[in-house]
Amino acid sequence: LSDLLELKKFGQLDSILGKAELLEQREEQNVQGEDQEKIMIPLSVFKTKVMGPAESLVKYLKEVKKVKFNEIAELTNRDSRTIWTTYKNAVAKKEELAPSDEEGIRINVPLEVFSNRHLSILECLVNYLINGGMKNKDIAAIIGKDQRNISTFRSRIKKKLK
């Protein structure tokens, strides 16, 4: 939240939100041609202190969207046993998910983004945001990670997707 307030103070938040809106508009255009309802994940889900990105995603899908374990596994292209274990670990950590609407800022990502098995959940998210034209510092502020972590993710993604 402090990162977002700092960006707002320097007038950079509008630029970030503009890029995020463009990403959402692209996704909405893609959805219009499809009959299946797309599940959108708010980025605030990943701003947790204790749970990892996979745990946050699975917990959100299970508790908020009421998706079954085998459906989560199919949608994310992961093994259903992994999904079940990830959810149990998330529940054991007893951390609540972050509110999905932080100071009126709501950026959503389609669930399909997380279906690449070659990348971790967080790498999939960072890859999606990078491909959407966002800078490392903007991504870091939005998902609550350090800018240097985003640079590391970027280099790992390049290696994995060669």
Side-chain angles (χ1 to χ4, degrees):
L1 183 61
S2 63
D3 291 336
L4 292 173
L5 292 175
E6 190 174 314
L7 287 171
K8 193 173 192 175
K9 182 170 65 174
F10 293 111
Q12 295 172 330
L13 189 57
D14 293 333
S15 171
I16 294 170
L17 292 176
K19 289 177 183 175
E21 285 177 21
L22 285 174
L23 283 172
E24 284 191 37
Q25 287 172 0
R26 284 185 206 154
E27 290 306 321
E28 286 174 13
Q29 289 170 356
N30 291 340
V31 172
Q32 288 173 356
E34 300 174 10
D35 293 340
Q36 186 180 5
E37 183 179 322
K38 240 182 193 181
I39 298 175
M40 300 299 281
I41 310 297
L43 284 183
S44 60
V45 166
F46 300 101
K47 275 192 142 180
T48 62
K49 299 203 184 294
V50 179
M51 288 188 292
E55 293 167 339
S56 300
L57 177 64
V58 171
K59 186 171 182 175
Y60 175 80
L61 290 171
K62 183 71 179 158
E63 295 178 2
V64 177
K65 294 292 189 177
K66 308 291 186 214
V67 181
K68 296 177 184 175
F69 288 125
N70 61 340
E71 292 172 2
I72 296 171
E74 189 177 313
L75 291 167
T76 58
N77 196 23
R78 303 307 199 261
D79 188 89
S80 59
R81 294 169 294 190
T82 304
I83 298 299
W84 183 85
T85 303
T86 301
Y87 178 73
K88 293 300 174 192
N89 290 340
V91 170
K93 292 181 180 177
K94 297 179 181 171
E95 182 179 14
E96 294 296 318
L97 293 171
S100 61
D101 198 2
E102 200 173 87
E103 287 199 15
I105 300 166
R106 187 173 176 98
I107 302 171
N108 294 313
V109 175
L111 181 59
E112 292 81 36
V113 166
F114 305 102
S115 64
N116 186 341
R117 287 278 305 200
H118 300 292
L119 302 175
S120 70
I121 298 295
L122 192 54
E123 288 169 342
C124 288
L125 176 62
V126 170
N127 187 45
Y128 175 78
L129 295 173
I130 288 170
N131 290 337
M134 297 186 97
K135 295 179 181 176
N136 289 359
K137 66 179 181 177
D138 300 337
I139 297 170
I142 289 172
I143 63 174
K145 301 286 182 198
D146 190 89
Q147 184 176 341
R148 293 168 291 191
N149 294 118
I150 306 303
S151 297
T152 302
F153 292 133
R154 183 187 286 264
S155 64
R156 269 199 231 146
I157 291 165
K158 282 181 183 177
K159 286 179 187 174
K160 289 182 178 183
L161 295 180
K162 272 189 178 179

